[in-house]
Every structure is written in structure tokens, then in C-alpha cells.
Amino acid sequence: MSKKNKPTYHPETQAIRIQSERTSHKEHSGPLYLTSSFTYDNAEHMRAAFADENDAYIYTRFSNPSVEEFINRMCALEGAEAGFATASGMSAVFGSFMAFLKTGDHLLSSSSIFGSTHTVITKFLPKWGIEHTYFDITQPETIEALIKPNTKMIFVETPSNPGLDVIDLEALAKIAKKHKVILNVDNCFATPVLQKPIALGVDLVTHSATKWIDGQGRVLGGVVVGRKELVDEVYAFCRSTGPAMSPFNAWVLSRSLETLHVRMARHAESALALATALEKNPHLEWVKYPFLPSHPQYAIAKKQMSAGGGIVCFEIKGGLERGGRFLDKLELLSLTANLGDSRSIASHPASTTHAKLSEAERLKVGITPGLIRISVGLEHLGDILQDIEQALEASK
Ligand SMILES: *Cc1c(COP(=O)(O)O)cnc(C)c1O
């Protein structure tokens, strides 16, 4: 668990300068504490550590200096009091659910959510008697009426994966507060560089650090941040159930945070330029990007995000079959399950990640047959655009 964040410098400075305490070697870069446990001077010191009477580390499932460095940097970026880091984004999401939900509780969630989150909500939470209702993220006016006396939490992703739908977090936070419900936001697509949900009134923020935060497709990770009293519950659940982040991954991710601001600026600049260029492409039905004026929630995106992020979606004319042909014709872009990498990635959800759903189920979550999702990397924009254009032409 993190110590209290001292907001003296700008968040981007803190993401670089917050560091675990220097050892006697006076190293410049934060060391990697690859150890499962910690030692004590004597029995009394050990007793006090276990009694929570001092700050001594005990065991890496609970806390570790390298992991804490990553958490403290994330808290500074998100403007959060406290955080807990997990082995993956899904363990962060699951931990944020299980710390607060019990049998008989109700979770109100957007239906436009990551596939594994959907599986947790619909297949596993019911095993513990936790019920849910999905709402349409594009119809926020329906949400308040769906809150029940046993509703404990509202969960959303904005922008959503893969549909890039956006919801007004400030307005949603007001509803959550009025009904004393925890508002939990997956901020993976925006990152704290482009969107700060806590400043808008959100209670808990979850992340897959695997994506933009790592930024180079190397390690898995997740984090939950928010008010200390809420994060204490997540910590208590995770400390005993064991989804701790590896110190190695934390060390890698802390280095990644030092470049997150410059990377996100470039990803977003290229993504906007790509989306603008593709809007004129005759092979496409439509292009979707939060900072394109044609995006249905453009005004909300402009209000709560400082840039549109690194994901661009479009609908290819010719649907499901041509979507597959388009992937086959790409020469530069990678075909891979990840996103948020320095290398640009193309995916076709209808034939891959969401192939098990029926067409009707896919349409309900905004996955049209020819939907292509591009994770815009850090290569030269001209090369990314040229590869997409030639693959569109060749897949006719
Ligand atoms: C990838 C992703 C997750 C899950 O993260 P993992 O690190 O793969 O466990 C959760 N939410 C969103 C929006 C994602 O894109």
C-alpha cells in the first residue's frame, strides 16, 4: 500500500522523481527489490512489524519497495490518496469488485466493457449471489432509474474497449454520490495523462498497466487507486488472496511511467491525424475517434480528456469477410491481442476476441462485422497510414 502522496510538483515530474529511498550505494535509478520477504534485527522488531506498529516490509504479497514506487507514481498521476498494484488488469478489476460486493449486492455496469470483465460479471459474480444490470453507455439518462436499494457499485470504461464510447464522468459521479454508490472507472484507454477521473468525483480507478502504461508490450500489471479508506479494503482482500504485482514488473512499469507523458502525446497526435485522414477513405463506412467532431460524444470527450488517446476504430465496407482480408494484407501493423504498444496493432474483434458471441450479442456491445481497431504506435505516421491504405486497397 502506498504512503500518502505529497502533491508538490506537477504529476509528470512526480512520475519521474518519486523513487524508493536511496540505499547506501546512492544509486541514481530506483533499484529492483527482487525478494519475496524481508528480515528483522531481532524478535521485537519482527513482532512490531507483524503488529503493524512500524513501516517495516514483511512479505512481497503484501508490499515491496519496487511495487510501492510504482504505486506512488500512479497515485501522483491519478491524484489519488492510495493504491494497490496487482499482477494484471483483470486482478485489479476483480479485486475492486470483491473488496466491496457480497451476496445480495447489485452491480450496475456499462455493457461496453472489456471481454474478461464481462465474463467476471456474468459468469463468476453470480456464483457468489452478486447480481448485475447492464446499461447502454450511450444512454446515460437511463442509469439513475436502474439503481436499486442493493446497488453497491457503478462500473464504467471510458473510452470503452473496443467501441470508444465516452460517458460524462462528472455527471455520473453526481448520480453515484446522490445514491451513495461507489463509482469505479477503468481508465485504461485514456491513462491518467489524458483523463483524471478522481478530480471529476470518481471513487475508484482501475487500470490494466499492461497496455499504455507499459507501452512496449512486455509485462502484465494492474492497479487500483482511490481514497485511502476504499483502497484499504482492496488491500485487505488482495493481501490475503494473492494477486500481488511482481517487483520485476513494477520496476519495469515505473521506468515506463517516466515516459508516459511524452508517449501519450505522440500516440494521440498520430491517432488524431490518422483518424482525420481515414475519414476521407472511400473503403470505410465510418471512422470513430473521441477527438473527431463526428464522434457522438465529442463534446464530452473534449470536456474531460486532454487528448483523444491512441485507439482509432473504423468500419470497413464489406463486413466480416473483408475485415479478415484487410488483416492479411497488412505489412507493417502487427496482428496481436495487445494494445497500447510502441508498435501499431490492428485487430478485428468480430473474427477474434468476440468471435464466440452471436452477431446480435456483438452488435449490442457496438461490435459491427467490419469493425477494425487500430492501436496507433510510435512509428512514423506516414508509414502507419500508408500500410492501412494499401491494405484497404488490396482487400477490395
Ligand atoms: C486489457 C484490458 C483489461 C485487462 O487487463 P490485463 O492486464 O490484460 O489483465 C481491462 N480493461 C481494459 C479496458 C483492457 O483493455
Side-chain angles (χ1 to χ4, degrees):
M1 208 174 11
S2 84
K3 297 193 187 76
K4 263 206 128 152
N5 164 35
K6 277 191 252 155
T8 42
Y9 294 112
H10 292 89
E12 52 264 65
T13 305
Q14 294 190 60
I16 294 167
R17 285 290 176 172
I18 288 176
Q19 196 164 312
S20 51
E21 216 173 300
R22 288 219 163 89
T23 70
S24 58
H25 297 302
K26 301 275 180 204
E27 67 284 345
H28 189 204
S29 176
L32 165 53
Y33 289 93
L34 203 54
T35 178
S36 15
S37 64
F38 300 82
T39 59
Y40 307 95
D41 297 336
N42 51 49
E44 169 52 23
H45 188 208
M46 188 167 188
R47 183 207 61 78
F50 277 79
D52 247 353
E53 290 169 15
N54 60 32
D55 279 346
Y57 292 101
I58 299 174
Y59 192 56
T60 288
R61 170 150 49 76
F62 311 165
S63 60
N64 171 288
S66 296
V67 178
E68 206 152 274
E69 180 181 87
F70 170 68
I71 293 170
N72 288 338
R73 287 178 171 198
M74 280 305 298
C75 286
L77 288 172
E78 289 283 1
E81 277 179 7
F84 185 78
T86 55
S88 67
M90 280 322 301
S91 46
V93 170
F94 185 63
S96 75
F97 288 167
M98 294 314 279
F100 301 100
L101 302 175
K102 61 176 190 314
T103 303
D105 285 344
H106 174 243
L107 171 70
L108 187 53
S109 171
S110 157
S111 55
S112 305
I113 49 172
F114 185 64
S116 295
T117 308
H118 166 75
T119 304
V120 168
I121 291 176
T122 56
K123 291 225 167 78
F124 294 106
L125 294 190
K127 281 175 66 170
W128 294 287
I130 299 161
E131 48 167 305
H132 71 275
T133 306
Y134 276 146
F135 60 83
D136 180 343
I137 191 168
T138 65
Q139 319 242 288
E141 65 284 358
T142 61
I143 295 172
E144 193 163 9
L146 297 172
I147 296 177
K148 307 204 260 180
N150 59 341
T151 305
K152 273 280 168 63
M153 182 180 281
I154 299 175
F155 181 79
V156 291
E157 259 173 42
T158 181
S160 64
N161 180 8
L164 293 178
D165 292 311
V166 171
I167 189 166
D168 186 334
L169 289 177
E170 206 174 0
L172 193 56
K174 286 204 180 103
I175 295 173
K177 263 200 187 77
K178 183 174 153 196
H179 295 271
K180 297 192 169 58
V181 171
I182 296 169
L183 177 56
N184 185 356
V185 172
D186 183 333
N187 199 27
C188 173
F189 264 38
T191 80
V193 172
L194 309 183
Q195 174 172 276
K196 297 193 191 295
I198 288 172
L200 301 172
V202 169
D203 300 300
L204 278 180
V205 174
T206 47
H207 273 285
S208 167
T210 315
K211 314 292 171 55
W212 303 104
I213 289 176
D214 174 60
Q216 295 174 59
R218 300 164 298 185
V219 298
L220 295 184
V223 67
V224 185
V225 302
R227 278 200 308 285
K228 186 170 179 311
E229 88 241 28
L230 295 178
V231 173
D232 281 350
E233 298 294 321
V234 176
Y235 171 71
F237 175 77
C238 292
R239 172 181 159 128
S240 293
T241 53
M245 174 179 276
S246 149
F248 178 79
N249 288 10
W251 182 86
V252 171
L253 292 166
S254 279
R255 263 70 260 145
S256 295
L257 288 181
E258 295 180 13
T259 58
L260 187 63
H261 279 81
V262 286
R263 286 188 286 111
M264 289 317 294
R266 171 66 179 264
H267 283 297
E269 182 192 328
S270 291
L272 177 61
L274 182 75
T276 305
L278 289 175
E279 265 199 320
K280 298 182 211 93
N281 193 294
H283 300 290
L284 304 181
E285 298 280 2
W286 46 257
V287 178
K288 202 162 168 191
Y289 181 70
F291 267 39
L292 276 185
S294 58
H295 189 287
Q297 298 106 28
Y298 173 68
I300 300 167
K302 283 292 244 191
K303 188 178 77 157
Q304 70 188 16
M305 297 173 73
S306 59
I311 304 285
V312 175
C313 287
F314 53 76
E315 176 73 13
I316 194 166
K317 285 180 183 164
L320 191 65
E321 253 178 58
R322 190 168 174 203
R325 283 207 302 279
F326 167 77
L327 291 191
D328 282 340
K329 298 293 180 188
L330 287 167
E331 289 165 5
L332 175 69
L333 271 63
S334 311
L335 308 185
T336 180
N338 202 19
L339 63 89
D341 197 293
S342 53
R343 289 149 293 200
S344 294
I345 296 164
S347 70
H348 179 222
S351 71
T352 56
T353 48
H354 294 73
K356 286 199 200 99
L357 303 185
S358 70
E359 179 151 355
E361 284 175 312
R362 279 199 294 266
L363 286 174
K364 250 175 97 180
V365 293
I367 295 166
T368 44
L371 178 73
I372 302 286
R373 184 188 73 192
I374 305 290
S375 172
V376 180
L378 299 176
E379 306 97 334
H380 191 287
L381 172 65
D383 294 330
I384 304 169
L385 180 62
Q386 192 274 333
D387 193 36
I388 293 171
E389 285 175 343
Q390 69 76 23
L392 285 171
E393 198 56 40
S395 63
K396 266 198 293 204

